[in-house]
Amino acid sequence: MPPASKPPTAASLSLFQLLDPAVLADPYPLYQRLREQDPVHWDPYLHSWVVTSYPEVVAVLTKYSADRTPTPEQLAALGLTEMKPFAEMMVRQMLFADAPAHTRLRTLCSVAFTPRRVEGLRAEIQAIADSLVDDVIASGRMEVLGDFAEAFPAIVTARLLGVPTKDHQQLKRWSADFAELLGNFQHNPDRVASVLRSLEELRDYLADKMREQGAAPDKQAGLIGSLMAAEVDGGKLTDEEVIASTIVTMVGGQETTTNLIGNGLYTLLRQPVRLAQLRDDPSIIAPAVEELLRYESPSQHTARVAKDDVVLGGKTIKKGAAVMAVMAAANRDPSRFPEPDRLDLTRADNRHVAFGWAAHYCFGAPLARMEGAIAFTTLLRRLPGLALAEEKPAWRGNTGLRGLTALHVTFARAAAETMARHL
Ligand code: HEM
């Protein structure tokens, strides 16, 4: 008789295991165990419900409260009073608000961040991608994160905000600092001082840019100036809200897009048949980007709070309880996606939750999709013979914002140079 399988323990199902680099390198077996054995799971280590099945993740994102940032009083009770300036900025962001405050902020920001503004950046985004590729062609090798995937969205963000392109490295540093705090569920006291310093620097920087863009309203305004000018029913954003909305756009748009490019390219490089399929038929780029988002979601989980006592997946969740919606696990739920562990670049009916769901659905999704499409098609078209230079690149320690520390690749230099001459 085969040995009886061991019953799951709280430790064997805890998301805390993501702190182990081996689990973080491939979290999907852990997500699968959770989904199969306890899809709405009380995690005593995280002191939170952890939800991993697709219908329940959608329910959490649709109905639960996003108002989850600690108040200054709660911070004081946790002995984290020094985090107050950060918390004050966070509560002004749409990401952490419920209706009607969320509706007001998102509507005003939508007046500034229009589809037309995104479409207007297309040619420039293509030029940014091409110029980053030009810089590496002669070497025949590339570190995808450092040479491309980090700078690309940072330069796009600078253009979007209407600030000098040369500031992109600084924007990247600030955003990386905040992302460490936002994407992780473990509190790292060593980072607090540097994050607070970054927040102060960034606020000064943005206040300066607000003076510039506010003083020249007729010029082709950057997003900062447009946020200042946005008006709905006579209502406008306050200066502090302009700063908070710029920060959420800046942070939301950089780390995630970097990781879409890094994770997506790594996925393709490990499956050369799929890489060749996309290189040979770039017309499938739109569904391919969706599939890469589903398969290796840059934003793995997000947090909510139960508004009332509710029953979810047969479990009673008490009002005020913390709930983690693990989008990356829902995106591999076989009840929603046939053969979820197979990369299918033309997958039909691919309504993944990598951009979230419902009211907080990613505000920058059209820009992210455009950046992803341009990045993948440009890299595959201009770098023939693209191949991994190392078998197992390391994953960053961030449990929520999934991404690689580095991705070394090689390509056929002579062929790439010849192609570059004919562009
Ligand atoms: C591949 C790239 C991206 C991914 C995977 C991504 C993912 C997400 C997810 C999962 C959410 C919902 C979070 C939640 O419900 O708690 C979200 C919201 C948001 N994203 Fe993105 N994002 C990406 C790119 C961008 C870009 C380029 C921008 C802006 C330029 C952006 C700005 C935002 C904002 C402002 C929100 C808050 C929306 C709200 O609360 O109503 N994101 N994003």
Side-chain angles (χ1 to χ4, degrees), residues 112-127:
F113 193 54
T114 56
R116 197 157 151 229
R117 179 183 291 275
V118 174
E119 202 44 54
L121 286 170
R122 184 181 287 278
E124 215 169 332
I125 294 177
Q126 180 63 63

Side-chain angles (χ1 to χ4, degrees), residues 61 66 68 93-97 102 106 109 113 153 156-157 160 223 245 247-261 289 293 297-304 327 353-369 371-372 401:
L61 295 177
R68 58 194 183 276
Q93 295 187 355
M94 64 175 101
L95 191 50
F96 302 103
H102 173 263
R106 185 155 173 146
C109 290
F113 193 54
V156 173
T157 302
L160 174 72
L223 183 67
S245 301
I247 293 178
V248 72
T249 307
M250 197 189 100
V251 178
Q254 286 195 69
E255 301 308 305
T256 46
T257 310
T258 294
N259 293 337
L260 165 62
I261 298 166
V289 168
L293 281 161
S297 306
S299 180
Q300 297 261 300
H301 52 72
T302 186
R304 292 290 188 271
M327 287 92 76
V353 284
F355 284 130
W357 196 267
H360 292 274
Y361 186 82
C362 178
F363 186 68
L367 178 60
R369 289 186 163 116
E371 288 183 76
L401 295 174

Side-chain angles (χ1 to χ4, degrees), residues 107-172:
T107 309
L108 278 162
C109 290
S110 307
V111 171
F113 193 54
T114 56
R116 197 157 151 229
R117 179 183 291 275
V118 174
E119 202 44 54
L121 286 170
R122 184 181 287 278
E124 215 169 332
I125 294 177
Q126 180 63 63
I128 295 165
D130 278 322
S131 120
L132 289 167
V133 170
D134 288 341
D135 291 345
V136 297
I137 289 263
S139 70
R141 49 177 47 250
M142 178 180 198
E143 195 286 278
V144 177
L145 276 299
D147 293 336
F148 189 94
E150 287 174 358
F152 179 63
I155 300 172
V156 173
T157 302
R159 302 303 305 127
L160 174 72
L161 298 184
V163 303
T165 311
K166 66 172 173 49
D167 294 352
H168 79 268
Q169 279 156 336
Q170 184 58 71
L171 296 179
K172 168 74 202 168

Side-chain angles (χ1 to χ4, degrees), residues 43 51 112 137 146 163 176 184 198 228 241 271 277 299-300 313 319 327 356 386 410:
D43 190 323
V51 181
I137 289 263
V163 303
N184 275 317
S198 285
M228 291 168 76
E241 286 170 343
Q271 304 195 36
Q277 182 192 6
S299 180
Q300 297 261 300
K319 179 178 176 173
M327 287 92 76
L386 203 57
T410 55

